[in-house]
Every structure is written in structure tokens, then in C-alpha cells.
Amino acid sequence: VQVDGKNLYTRNGSFTLDGEGRLVTLDGNPVVTDGGEVQLQGGQVSITEEGRILLNGKPVARLKLVTFDNPLALERVGSTYFAAGNATETELEPGKVQLRPGYLETSNVEPIQEMVHMIELNRQFELNQKMIHAQDRTLEQLISKAGSA
């Protein structure tokens, strides 16, 4: 994705066409293809499983799809973008990737279930903390009585 003249990367595949027929993100940033920016006016636009962009069934360009040698070195930019940082990008060959056109990737967790789990863990922690304090008070009383006898 082109953002302020720099190439950034995203996993958010929710693209649209702007008023000029450019393929853009929901933020309005142009999507990078193997041929740079692409104009897609005057027809039916689709994207294949290999990342090829078709206009009226004819190939126009291909999405720039990459992987990184060290994904942990990517630097977060905003809410959905990443800069390469110290990671080295490698462009993926058409046969090495299989996109799911028409689908968006979602979270792999159930937020409500995770919140319930977090509350349960917090309660267990508090219970253990109270038990430690009770044991501490018991030992304090024992030492106090042993010292006075």
C-alpha cells in the first residue's frame, strides 16, 4: 500500500475503487501492484486466487504479495499498516499463494469467551492472594506467640 509516498504492508484486504478508478484501501491509500498504481474504470473488476486483478475478465495487474524473513521485525504504522523495518521482504510467486477473494480475515479468538476466561483467572488470582495473606497472618500470630512464651 502506498502511504505518503512510502510502501507499507497490510493484511487488511478490504479494497475498493475510488472516484478515479484506482484500487484503494478503505483509508483511500492506493494498493501496490506489480505495475504500480492501476486504473480500473469501465468494467467489472475481480481478483483471482493468485492475486491477479481482472478487468472484464482480462488480466490487468497482480497484487504485490510478499512475505518477510523476520515478521517480528515489522514496525506497526497506524492501526492496519506495517513498515518493513529490519525485515527483508520476498515477493510470493503466483503459485505459492492462494487468496480467498470476497472474504475478509477476522480474529481467531472469541472476544466474549476470552473476557470470561480473563475474569475467571483474575478471580483465581485474587483467591490465591487472599490465601497467602491469611497464611501470612497465621504465621505472624504463631511467631508472636512463640516469642512471648
Side-chain angles (χ1 to χ4, degrees):
V1 177
Q2 280 279 315
V3 179
D4 298 328
K6 295 187 288 186
N7 279 346
L8 296 181
Y9 305 90
T10 185
R11 291 180 60 109
N12 184 353
S14 185
F15 304 139
T16 187
L17 295 177
D18 68 3
E20 301 170 13
R22 297 180 309 159
L23 187 64
V24 295
T25 64
L26 293 179
D27 298 333
N29 297 310
V31 176
V32 176
T33 67
D34 58 0
E37 242 180 67
V38 63
Q39 296 288 330
L40 301 167
Q41 291 180 327
Q44 178 70 26
V45 177
S46 60
I47 298 177
T48 68
E49 290 182 350
E50 297 85 29
R52 295 191 197 289
I53 301 169
L54 307 177
L55 182 61
N56 294 325
K58 296 180 183 169
V60 177
R62 182 175 179 267
L63 294 173
K64 184 175 180 185
L65 303 170
V66 299
T67 188
F68 294 93
D69 64 339
N70 183 7
L72 297 176
L74 293 173
E75 299 169 2
R76 183 175 287 280
V77 178
S79 60
T80 61
Y81 300 121
F82 296 91
N86 293 328
T88 304
E89 80 175 51
T90 304
E91 193 158 352
L92 295 170
E93 299 294 323
K96 301 280 184 183
V97 66
Q98 190 173 13
L99 300 179
R100 299 283 185 241
Y103 294 89
L104 287 176
E105 182 179 44
T106 59
S107 174
N108 61 352
V109 296
E110 291 292 329
I112 294 174
Q113 183 180 0
E114 292 304 317
M115 286 294 290
V116 168
H117 184 65
M118 186 175 72
I119 291 169
E120 288 173 354
L121 288 175
N122 193 35
R123 287 183 180 159
Q124 288 175 5
F125 175 78
E126 288 174 355
L127 181 62
N128 285 334
Q129 192 175 23
K130 287 178 183 177
M131 288 174 46
I132 290 171
H133 283 300
Q135 234 179 358
D136 204 24
R137 281 192 302 271
T138 303
L139 284 174
E140 187 179 314
Q141 289 173 357
L142 179 65
I143 291 171
S144 176
K145 287 181 182 178
S148 64

